[in-house]
């Protein structure tokens, strides 16, 4: 990197910040022009300034830079191609599908027992699911998946096959269970030696109706953190753009999703 390159200044500011030289890092960042067109550098600069102002206990200014960073994230090509409302619409649809009236239609399913106890670890993002994951995986009889898309793949298959989960037959349900197990075992190498599989993904919470129907023997762990902490943490976290995480670009949208 050349000294005139803005990235040189950004990296130097990061080093100064890590050394506890917050004011020096702040002055360097404020004198660095990343340009509106350089979105990634502008995101990095504002995130770093937010951290620095937070350390200096100048929280209003930290928040301003969080807002600025997220505005640049919203301008990324990947973000602009994503509809953030599609995730909200999906939640609303699930609330209609898995209402008490429809659940009352469920008939008993004759299902083959699984070789492991399924447990679904869920909660709002930034609620402590990763900390729980780290603790639970230390048990010799537990394995924890790292946010595999197995359940989402299951939901997608049900949608593509136009299946009515309320009237599903035992054979259809068993086929879907087998599909899930295949997806999981292809990613979890030591599953055969474990008694408990914990499938961790915060947004499993929106698929609990489907999970309850196909895995009646499942257990659930719901991580709960104070809403203000969870929402603020999501707002300040840089997520890869997707329909769910793009709801964390403003405080209003973050709170609404919670």
């Amino acid at each position: 990197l050349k000294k005139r390159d803005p990235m040189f200044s950004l990296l130097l500011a990061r080093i100064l910040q890590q050394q506890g030289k917050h004011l020096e890092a702040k002055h360097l960042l404020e004198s660095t022009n990343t340009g509106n067109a350089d979105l990634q550098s502008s995101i990095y600069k504002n995130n770093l300034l937010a951290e620095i102002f937070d350390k200096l206990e100048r929280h209003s200014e930290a928040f301003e830079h969080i807002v600025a960073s997220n505005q640049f994230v919203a301008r990324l090509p990947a973000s602009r191609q994503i509809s953030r409302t599609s995730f909200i619409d999906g939640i609303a649809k699930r609330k209609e599908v898995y209402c008490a009236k429809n659940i009352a239609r469920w008939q008993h399913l004759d299902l083959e027992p699984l070789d492991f106890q399924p447990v679904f670890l869920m909660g709002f993002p930034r609620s402590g699911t990763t900390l729980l994951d780290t603790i639970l995986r230390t048990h010799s009889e537990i394995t924890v998946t790292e946010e595999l898309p197995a359940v989402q793949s299951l939901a997608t298959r049900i949608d593509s096959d136009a299946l009515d989960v309320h009237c599903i037959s035992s054979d259809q349900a068993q086929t879907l269970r087998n599909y899930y197990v295949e997806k999981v075992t292809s990613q979890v190498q030591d599953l055969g030696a474990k008694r408990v599989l914990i499938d961790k993904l915060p947004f499993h919470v929106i698929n609990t109706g489907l999970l309850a129907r196909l895995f009646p023997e499942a257990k659930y762990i719901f991580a709960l953190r104070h809403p203000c902490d969870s929402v603020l943490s999501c707002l300040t976290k840089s997520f890869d753009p997707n329909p769910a995480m793009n709801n964390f670009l403003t405080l209003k949208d973050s709170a609404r999703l919670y």
Side-chain angles (χ1 to χ4, degrees), residues 114 116-122 132 136 141-145 151 180 184 191 195-201 204 211 215 217-222:
L114 297 173
F116 54 87
Q117 169 64 56
V119 179
F120 296 99
L121 172 55
M122 60 187 71
L132 279 173
L136 292 168
E141 295 184 351
I142 293 176
T143 188
V144 184
T145 67
V151 172
Y180 170 80
V184 171
L191 181 57
R195 291 180 56 192
V196 177
L197 168 74
I198 298 179
D199 187 339
K200 171 228 169 184
L201 186 67
H204 275 334
L211 297 174
F215 301 96
E217 73 275 50
K219 298 182 183 298
Y220 302 88
I221 301 174
F222 186 81

Side-chain angles (χ1 to χ4, degrees), residues 79-150:
S79 293
R80 296 171 66 181
Q81 296 173 6
I82 293 171
S83 170
R84 60 181 174 76
T85 59
S86 64
F87 189 73
I88 298 290
D89 293 341
I91 294 174
K93 179 181 178 181
R94 285 170 172 83
K95 288 175 67 177
E96 291 179 3
V97 171
Y98 293 101
C99 64
K101 180 180 178 180
N102 285 336
I103 292 175
R105 297 162 47 201
W106 288 5
Q107 299 294 319
H108 174 74
L109 298 173
D110 292 317
L111 302 169
E112 298 175 7
L114 297 173
D115 293 331
F116 54 87
Q117 169 64 56
V119 179
F120 296 99
L121 172 55
M122 60 187 71
F124 201 74
R126 311 295 294 169
S127 288
T129 55
T130 300
L131 176 60
L132 279 173
D133 167 345
T134 303
I135 295 170
L136 292 168
R137 68 171 59 247
T138 61
H139 195 287
S140 61
E141 295 184 351
I142 293 176
T143 188
V144 184
T145 67
E146 282 294 336
E147 304 198 3
L148 299 179

Side-chain angles (χ1 to χ4, degrees), residues 154 158 163 168 172-180 214:
L154 196 57
I158 288 172
L163 294 176
I168 199 170
Q172 289 173 318
Q174 187 62 54
T175 297
L176 292 169
R177 282 164 63 93
N178 293 343
Y179 176 79
Y180 170 80
L214 296 180

Side-chain angles (χ1 to χ4, degrees), residues 26 36 57 76 94 110 124 151 189 207 219 227 243:
K26 168 185 167 298
N36 287 332
E57 297 187 357
L76 291 171
R94 285 170 172 83
D110 292 317
F124 201 74
V151 172
Q189 302 299 323
N207 285 313
K219 298 182 183 298

Side-chain angles (χ1 to χ4, degrees), residues 9-29:
S9 297
L10 296 181
L11 294 176
L12 179 57
R14 170 62 78 182
I15 293 171
L16 290 171
Q17 184 244 4
Q18 291 175 339
Q19 292 175 341
K21 301 176 182 178
H22 302 303
L23 287 177
E24 288 184 50
K26 168 185 167 298
H27 294 319
L28 178 57
L29 288 169

